[in-house]
Amino acid sequence: MTHTLRPKDLRAACDPASLPFADSREIPDDPAALAKTQPRAHAALSLALSIAGREYNVYLAGDPGMGRTHFARRFLDPEAARGKVPPDWLYVHNFDDPDRPRAVSLPPGQGKGFKAALAKAVADMREEIPARFEREAYQTEKQSLLRGYNADRETVLDEMEERAKSEGYSLFVDDQGGFTLYPLLEGKVVSDEEFERLDPELKKSLKAKGDRLLEEMGTALRRLSKEERGYRDREKDLERATAGEVVDAHLAALAPYREANPAIDGFLAAMRADILDNLDAFMPQAAQAAAPPPAHGEAPYPDDIFYRYEANLFVDNGSLTGAPVVIEDHPTYFNLMGCIERESEMGALYTDFTLIKAGSLHRANGGFLIIRVDDISANIGAWEGLLRALRSGLGRVEDPAEGGEHVRTRTIEPEPVPLDLKVVLVGPDEAHEMLLYNDERFGKLFKLKAHLQETMPRSEENVRVYLSLAARAIAEAGLPPFDRDALAGLVEYASLLAEDQARLSLKLPLARELMIEAAALARREGAELVGAAHLGLARRARDFRANLYEEEYLEEYDREMIKVATTGEAVGRANGLSVRMYGDYAFGLPHQIACTVGVGHGGILDLEREAELGGPIHTKGMMILKSYLIGRFAQDKALVMTGSLCFEQSYAEVEGDSASGAELAALLSALAERPIKLRYAMTGAVSQSGAILAVGGLNEKIRGFFTVCRRRGLTGDQGVLLPADNVVNLMLDDDILDAVDKGLFHIYPVTTIEEVMEILTGIPAGAPGPDGKFPPESLFALVDARLSRMARCAPMGFSQQQPGQG
C-alpha cells in the first residue's frame, strides 16, 4: 500500500518563532522590494526610463489581482520625484489668424503668474486709458490740434468766400461742412423764390457762372478735406501715443515673462498693436454700445474684444515637485486628448482659445501616463488618438472625427503641444498578444513588455521581502499592527494563494483585503494587535459570506439527493472530484463516475461529449483511456468492447482531464468485475502509460470530499488519492490536518494507475511477465481475461467507429 501523508506534509507551516519581528511595526521598509518581487517588470520599466524617444512605451502585463497599477505607481513615483518639473502651457490669441490659437510655454509655476499679471494689466489699462484721455495735458494738446485745424479751415473758407464775393456770390457753409452759393443782386442775397422770378436769361447766366465758380472751388475743397484728414490722423496719433504710454507702462510688468519665452514677447507686441487699433473699446460709452457684428475670420464673441487679451492656462505644473504621474481611469477621447468646449449665446454656439481644455495626455506631458487597457479599449476614438499622438509626438486638441467625414461646425485649430512622456499601458497578457498581432502600431510604440510574475520562491529572504510589503500595506491603510503569529499566518496565506508550499503569491491586493477584514474584527474586539485568530476568523467570515451555493450542494449530499457514497463498495463506480467556481469563490465537490462495459465494437462512449457537455480537454482525456487499454492489454489480441463513462447527476459542462484517473479506475473495475472502495475519492490525470499527472484545485477538492465525509461521520478509513506531484500544492486547513493526525482521514500520493487500483480495490494490479501474462488473481489478469472473452464473443470483423466514440 502507498504511504499516507502526514500532517506536516499537508501544509507548509510558518513557525512564528522564525520571524525576527515582534509585530509589523518592527519590519523595516525595503526600498528594493519591487525589484526583488518583480525583477522582469522592474527591469523593463528601468530600461524605459533610460531610453529617450516616443517608441519605448511600456505594456505592464499581469492578471487581475496583481496590483498592476499600484506596482506602476510605486515604481514611477520615486523616479518622477527625481525628475524635472515640466513647463506650464498656455494658449493665447493669434492676432494673425484667430482660428489657430498659439501654444506657449513658461517655466513651471509661471503660467498662473502670467495669466494673473496679464489680467491685472488689462484691467488696469481699461481703467487708466479713459482716465488719461480726461487729463488736462491731453485735452490741451487735443484742443491745440483742433484750433490749428479750425484756423486752417477758416483760412480756406475765407478765401473761398472772398472769391465768391468777387464773382457776385455769397458762400454759405452748414454744420456738416456742405456749402451753397447764393447770387447777390444789388448787394443782397437772392433767395430761391426770388431766383425763380428772375429773367430766364439772367438765371441762366447766374447758374453758369455759379457752376464755373464751384469747379474753381474744388481745389479748395480738396485742400479742406486733406486738412481734415490730417487733423484726424494727428488726433489719432495723439490718442495712440497717450494710450501707448499706458499700455507700455503696464506691459512692462510682464518683462520677466518676455525673457522666459520669445513667443510671449511676440504675443504682447501683437496685443499692444491690437489695443491701440481698438481704443474705442476702452471708452466708457463702448460698454453700453452694442457690439458690431464680427468681421470674417473673427470669433463671434457676443460682447467685447477683451477675451483676446486673456491667457488660457492649459497645463499648470506649478504645484509639482517633480515629473507628473497621471492615472487616467476614464480614458474617453475628451478626457485623454483634451477638448474644445463651446458656449451658447442666443441659440448660437461659439468657441475661442479660452475654451480649450487639457486632457490627461497633456497633464502627463514631461512625465508618465498610466492607462488600463480594458478602460481604453471601450473608447476606440481615444485609442486611435493616443496612437496618433505617440507616433507624431504632438498633443493635438481637436474634435474627433466620429462617423467619418461629414459637415463640421465652425471651430478652431489650436497649435499642438510637443509631447515628451512615457505611457504605461496596464492589462492582461492576452490583451498584449491580441494588440501585438492585430495592430502593427502597437508593436512599434510599445516596445517594452513588463511582465508581472504571480509567485516567488518561499525562501527566508523572500519571506522578509513579502512581510515588508505587508507592513507597508498595513501602514498605508492605517491598520493596527499585526503580531508575530499573524505575520506567520500571512506567509501561510500567501502560499495558499499560490497553491504551492514552496512559493509565495504576489497577488498582494488579495492579501490586503484579508488584512483589512482581520483588522476590522480586531478593532471590534478592542484588541491592540491583530493576531492569527483574527486572520482565521476573517477567512471563515469571508467563506461564510460566499459559500451559500456550496452549503446548498452539501445539503443535497446530506439528504442523498446527490448520490455519492462515502462507504461501501461498487463495481464500475468511483468517486471523482471537481471544483465549482461562483464569482471569486471556489469549492470542491465529489461526483460519482459510473462505467458500464459489454461485448461489441463501439469502443468507449463519452456520454458527456455526446450530450455536448464535455469540453475538448475532457474528450482528450477519454481518448487517452483507450490508448492506455491498447498499450496494456491489446498486444496479443484485438481490443473489442463497448462501454460508456459518465458523471452521474452532473448537468453542467465538464472540462479538463483531472477526472481521467478516476474514470480509468471505474473502467478497469468494470472490466475486472471487482468493486472499488467508495470510501476513497480520487483526482488526477492519467497518461497513456498509466502515470498519474498533476492537476489543479487540490485544496478545494480535498476540502469538498472531507466535508461530505465529516457531515456523514468520519469512519477512520476514508481518504483522497492525489498525484504525488501535487503534494507540494497542498495548503490544507487545521481541521483536515487534525483529522489526518488522529487517523480519521487519509491522503494518498500516487504515481501510477496501478497504485490507484491497489488502494481502491485492495487487489494487487500485477505486472506482465516475460510471456506478457499477468500474475494469476491479479487485477490486471482479470481485466485481460475479460477482454479476451469479449474478443471471442464478438462477431467476426470490426466495424468503423462512429464519431464521438473513443
Side-chain angles (χ1 to χ4, degrees), residues 150-163 171 173 177 179 217 220-221 224:
N150 287 336
D152 293 341
R153 185 172 182 273
E154 289 299 327
T155 300
V156 174
L157 291 177
D158 288 344
E159 291 176 357
M160 292 172 65
E161 187 173 358
E162 288 297 327
R163 173 61 179 153
L171 179 66
V173 181
F179 64 92
M217 290 185 177
L221 290 175
L224 189 61

Side-chain angles (χ1 to χ4, degrees), residues 68-251:
R68 300 168 297 187
T69 304
H70 181 76
F71 174 85
R73 193 68 190 257
R74 277 286 180 191
F75 178 90
L76 294 175
D77 278 347
E79 299 293 337
R82 293 190 289 269
K84 180 181 178 182
V85 181
D88 294 342
W89 283 95
L90 305 97
Y91 273 108
V92 295
H93 184 71
N94 185 346
F95 293 96
D96 295 327
D97 189 349
D99 285 344
R100 289 176 171 80
R102 288 177 173 167
V104 295
S105 64
L106 283 172
Q110 292 191 20
K112 185 180 294 184
F114 175 74
K115 178 181 175 69
L118 182 63
K120 183 177 185 303
V122 173
D124 291 345
M125 284 187 280
R126 294 183 70 173
E127 180 179 349
E128 188 172 342
I129 288 176
R132 184 66 66 92
F133 288 155
E134 298 297 327
R135 289 186 179 180
E136 183 178 352
Y138 172 78
Q139 292 296 331
T140 299
E141 192 167 353
K142 183 177 180 180
Q143 289 299 321
S144 176
L145 291 176
L146 181 59
R147 285 194 299 271
Y149 165 69
N150 287 336
D152 293 341
R153 185 172 182 273
E154 289 299 327
T155 300
V156 174
L157 291 177
D158 288 344
E159 291 176 357
M160 292 172 65
E161 187 173 358
E162 288 297 327
R163 173 61 179 153
K165 285 182 179 181
S166 68
E167 294 292 336
Y169 284 85
S170 174
L171 179 66
F172 175 76
V173 181
D174 58 26
D175 295 336
Q176 285 73 34
F179 64 92
T180 307
L181 290 174
Y182 293 96
L184 296 174
L185 291 177
E186 297 178 359
K188 295 182 180 180
V189 177
V190 178
S191 65
D192 293 339
E193 293 81 2
E194 293 173 337
F195 183 79
E196 292 298 328
R197 293 195 295 266
L198 293 176
D199 181 71
E201 289 298 328
L202 182 58
K203 286 197 300 182
K204 182 177 180 181
S205 174
L206 290 175
K207 187 175 185 308
K209 189 177 181 180
D211 291 341
R212 188 171 59 253
L213 186 59
L214 284 175
E215 291 179 5
E216 292 178 4
M217 290 185 177
T219 302
L221 290 175
R222 287 191 293 272
R223 177 184 167 193
L224 189 61
S225 297
K226 182 178 180 180
E227 291 292 338
E228 184 176 3
R229 288 195 302 271
Y231 163 69
R232 297 301 178 191
D233 290 342
R234 289 190 295 275
E235 184 181 42
K236 196 70 174 178
D237 291 341
L238 176 61
E239 290 178 354
R240 292 172 65 90
T242 303
E245 294 176 0
V246 178
V247 174
D248 291 339
H250 289 290
L251 293 185

Side-chain angles (χ1 to χ4, degrees), residues 601-604 626 630 639 641 798-806:
H601 300 283
I604 304 172
K626 181 182 177 182
I630 292 174
L639 187 61
M641 64 167 289
F798 302 97
S799 62
Q800 184 70 25
Q801 289 186 358
Q802 298 300 315
Q805 297 171 342

Side-chain angles (χ1 to χ4, degrees), residues 59 196 206 251 303 372 472 529 577 696 712-713 739:
Y59 187 97
E196 292 298 328
L206 290 175
L251 293 185
D303 294 324
R372 290 173 57 95
R472 182 187 295 172
L529 297 176
L577 298 172
R712 295 177 177 179

Side-chain angles (χ1 to χ4, degrees), residues 605-673:
L605 189 66
D606 179 7
L607 296 187
E608 308 300 329
R609 179 182 176 185
E610 292 300 311
E612 297 184 354
L613 292 176
I617 298 178
H618 178 262
T619 300
K620 178 183 177 182
M622 294 296 298
M623 294 178 178
I624 289 175
L625 301 190
K626 181 182 177 182
S627 299
Y628 174 79
L629 291 181
I630 292 174
R632 182 67 69 181
F633 301 107
Q635 301 304 305
D636 56 356
K637 58 185 174 298
L639 187 61
V640 183
M641 64 167 289
T642 186
S644 64
L645 277 163
C646 77
F647 282 73
E648 294 193 343
Q649 292 184 287
S650 174
Y651 310 105
E653 293 186 357
V654 178
E655 179 60 313
D657 61 354
S658 64
S660 59
E663 290 172 324
L664 180 56
L667 175 60
L668 293 174
S669 169
L671 288 171
E673 298 179 305

Side-chain angles (χ1 to χ4, degrees), residues 525-592:
E525 293 180 0
E528 295 182 357
L529 297 176
V530 179
H534 299 119
L535 281 179
L537 185 59
R539 285 187 57 195
R540 291 191 294 274
R542 173 179 290 189
D543 291 343
F544 177 74
R545 294 193 302 270
N547 74 346
L548 175 60
Y549 289 135
E550 178 186 19
E551 186 62 30
E552 291 178 349
Y553 272 112
L554 292 174
E555 290 176 359
E556 297 297 302
Y557 284 95
D558 294 343
R559 298 165 61 190
E560 296 191 5
M561 299 294 289
I562 300 178
K563 305 294 184 182
V564 174
T566 55
T567 58
E569 299 178 341
V571 175
R573 300 286 187 271
N575 289 332
L577 298 172
S578 66
V579 175
R580 291 289 181 90
M581 195 81 178
Y582 285 92
D584 60 349
Y585 183 72
F587 58 93
L589 292 174
H591 290 280
Q592 182 172 264

